[in-house]
Amino acid sequence: MSAQSPKPFIVLGVSGGIAAYKAIEVCRQLVDAGCHVAPILTENATKFVAPLTFTALASEPAQTKLYDGSAAIPHTRLGQSASVIVVAPATAHLIARMAAGLADDLLTATLLATRATVIVAPAMHTEMWEQPSVQDNLATLRSRGVTVVEPEVGRLAGGDEGAGRLADPGVIVAAVLDEVAAPRATDLAGTKVLVSSGGTREPIDPVRFLSNRSSGKQGHAIAAAAAERGAEVVLVTTMPQTAPHGVEVEAVDTAAQMNEAMARHARVADVVVMAAAVADFRPSQAASSKVKRELGTPEIVLEPTEDILCGLVKARTKGQIIVGFAAETDDVLANAAAKLDRKGCDLLVVNDVSAPAVGFDHDTNAVHILERGGGVVEVPLTSKRAVAESVLDMVVRHLGEDEGKKSS
Ligand code: CTP
């Protein structure tokens, strides 16, 4: 950020969950990125973290009360000054209060007294996260333009595993900085975008399958970003549990199921993004009952799966933009260029999965986006959401070029 430009004013709302300690890191990273950070803690947040910690790190003292005597109406100053209000962590209760439009403490009053972009990063136990009431409240917030930074699947406070862990502080900060840098575009309004995500599972028997390490996060990020940019999005995924809201989801398991679903939805899509990690081989015959150990080591005969991307390219409709993905470990750019040629898509997003913090199961990624015709755009290590935005920027450019050709 340049020395002349005023610092973006970020209100950091912290509500009362165990993940509140991670908001300290969000605060520090936002300040380091050149933001003016004004923290507001709910009363429950102060049971987990001290306001003094935020006061020490932020750009102004942390505030906790609507009426503390020092300023008559602190919520209007904070709400009106903010470029972005980010609530991390957002508890189920805070989300419910936002959805209901309550203003019973400084944070919720500030959230009403603003025209700023609002970002919430929920964190809660899986059981709470999956409650229809919580999801309905989030859907309400999304429909009002609030950005939701999806929680991760991982270890939770009680030692159990599941969806609901606060997103990585770096991902939350990237969402704030994206918003500050480029206010939300709606450049995909009126466009139908089809995305695949996750690794396919090819059954060996009713309990075992062959699969890969894909988490589906990059495909999900593309689906979420496309929806926020105004597209009608269908996501065909093996990871429906963590699918972003606001997109139509079709759950599949195997390459054959994904092939059928993608071919069906692609007939009406303007953009197809094949981010899934499709198994290249499947057991040619899945056993109908569990293969028993005492019968000895089984021989599993494999057969190739259908190349879904090649099939989509063959059936491509007029003007449709098709994006492929490639995970490589050696000669990354040369292999990717050959793959782009072989597959015949318009764009190929390649990552070097042997690099640290890149690809499978990370929240970050670093990619090159190759264009048919030889162009290459590098996207250095960043959040998967930011990679998604770069991919969509290229898609929008290609859609525009196609429009240009049609009208010339
Ligand atoms: N893909 C597909 N169907 C398959 C295998 C891959 O549609 N059976 C798609 C992937 O979704 C991705 C692209 O093809 O968009 C490249 O996938 P990748 O696994 O890198 O390519 P392969 O052709 O399988 O080449 P290899 O594994 O030998 O590198």
Side-chain angles (χ1 to χ4, degrees):
M1 264 151 236
S2 82
Q4 281 81 22
S5 60
K7 290 182 170 187
F9 192 111
I10 312 297
V11 170
L12 171 60
V14 183
S15 61
I18 183 66
Y21 76 94
K22 294 187 186 168
I24 296 168
E25 182 60 18
V26 173
C27 179
R28 197 189 59 75
Q29 288 189 23
L30 285 171
V31 171
D32 284 353
C35 299
H36 176 104
V37 181
I40 302 177
L41 279 68
T42 64
E43 200 187 330
N44 282 341
T46 65
K47 303 204 166 99
F48 292 92
V49 280
L52 186 60
T53 312
F54 287 89
T55 297
L57 292 169
S59 317
E60 56 178 85
Q63 299 204 47
T64 57
K65 290 193 166 55
L66 201 42
Y67 310 105
D68 72 349
S70 58
I73 39 174
H75 59 295
T76 50
R77 179 187 72 86
L78 291 163
Q80 287 168 358
S81 308
S83 322
V84 175
I85 302 182
V86 55
V87 185
T91 58
H93 188 229
L94 195 275
I95 290 165
R97 288 195 290 149
M98 285 176 75
L102 297 185
D104 52 356
D105 65 2
L106 179 58
L107 179 54
T108 47
T110 305
L111 282 159
L112 285 187
T114 194
R115 294 200 176 96
T117 299
V118 176
I119 298 174
V120 296
M124 61 198 76
H125 260 80
T126 309
E127 294 81 354
M128 297 175 86
W129 172 247
E130 288 173 352
Q131 279 302 327
S133 56
V134 172
Q135 292 303 327
D136 286 354
N137 287 333
L138 281 167
T140 301
L141 296 187
R142 282 193 191 89
S143 71
R144 294 177 189 155
V146 171
T147 296
V148 178
V149 179
E150 298 286 325
E152 295 174 354
V153 177
R155 209 160 68 85
L156 301 167
D160 46 342
E161 294 254 340
R165 190 172 71 170
L166 184 71
D168 186 80
V171 172
I172 298 168
V173 169
V176 175
L177 297 180
D178 281 353
E179 199 53 55
V180 169
R184 198 168 309 164
T186 51
D187 48 7
L188 285 170
T191 308
K192 289 189 164 70
V193 175
L194 170 63
V195 184
S196 69
S197 72
T200 63
R201 288 183 281 262
E202 311 301 330
I204 296 171
D205 68 14
V207 294
R208 305 180 179 97
F209 55 78
L210 295 181
S211 192
N212 56 63
R213 296 176 58 204
S214 170
S215 62
K217 286 180 182 174
Q218 186 61 74
H220 283 33
I222 291 174
E228 275 175 31
R229 289 167 74 150
E232 220 176 281
V233 183
V234 175
L235 177 65
V236 174
T237 182
T238 60
M239 315 291 282
Q241 318 79 327
T242 53
H245 298 270
V247 305
E248 183 188 328
V249 176
E250 178 158 346
V252 293
D253 236 12
T254 63
Q257 289 167 356
M258 183 172 279
N259 190 35
E260 188 280 320
M262 290 299 287
R264 178 165 29 88
H265 290 291
R267 283 181 215 131
V268 292
D270 303 294
V271 178
V272 180
V273 182
M274 196 61 208
V278 186
D280 287 318
F281 306 100
R282 68 180 149 235
S284 56
Q285 205 116 54
S288 55
S289 47
K290 190 178 176 200
V291 177
K292 298 305 282 181
R293 188 184 168 89
E294 58 265 27
L295 298 178
T297 310
E299 285 204 0
I300 299 170
V301 178
L302 300 179
E303 64 178 21
T305 56
E306 33 291 290
D307 192 318
I308 303 174
L309 181 57
C310 283
L312 292 167
V313 168
K314 268 194 209 122
R316 182 206 302 259
T317 58
K318 200 165 171 333
Q320 190 177 60
I321 303 297
I322 303 186
V323 184
F325 268 71
E328 302 286 345
T329 53
D330 313 282
D331 292 333
V332 173
L333 284 181
N335 276 335
K339 198 167 276 180
L340 176 64
D341 248 17
R342 202 167 63 241
K343 302 270 183 181
C345 44
D346 300 282
L347 298 169
L348 190 89
V349 184
V350 61
N351 55 12
D352 176 355
V353 284
S354 62
V358 170
F360 297 127
D361 212 27
H362 292 291
D363 296 309
T364 47
N365 208 354
V367 304
H368 285 84
I369 309 172
L370 281 68
E371 295 175 285
R372 203 143 50 106
V376 181
V377 170
E378 184 182 358
V379 185
L381 191 65
T382 183
S383 65
K384 285 192 170 170
R385 176 55 188 247
V387 168
E389 299 290 357
S390 297
V391 172
L392 293 176
D393 288 346
M394 301 273 281
V395 164
V396 166
R397 222 177 66 210
H398 278 250
L399 279 170
E401 277 167 14
D402 227 79
E403 283 299 311
K405 270 184 228 149
K406 267 189 253 165
S407 56
S408 60

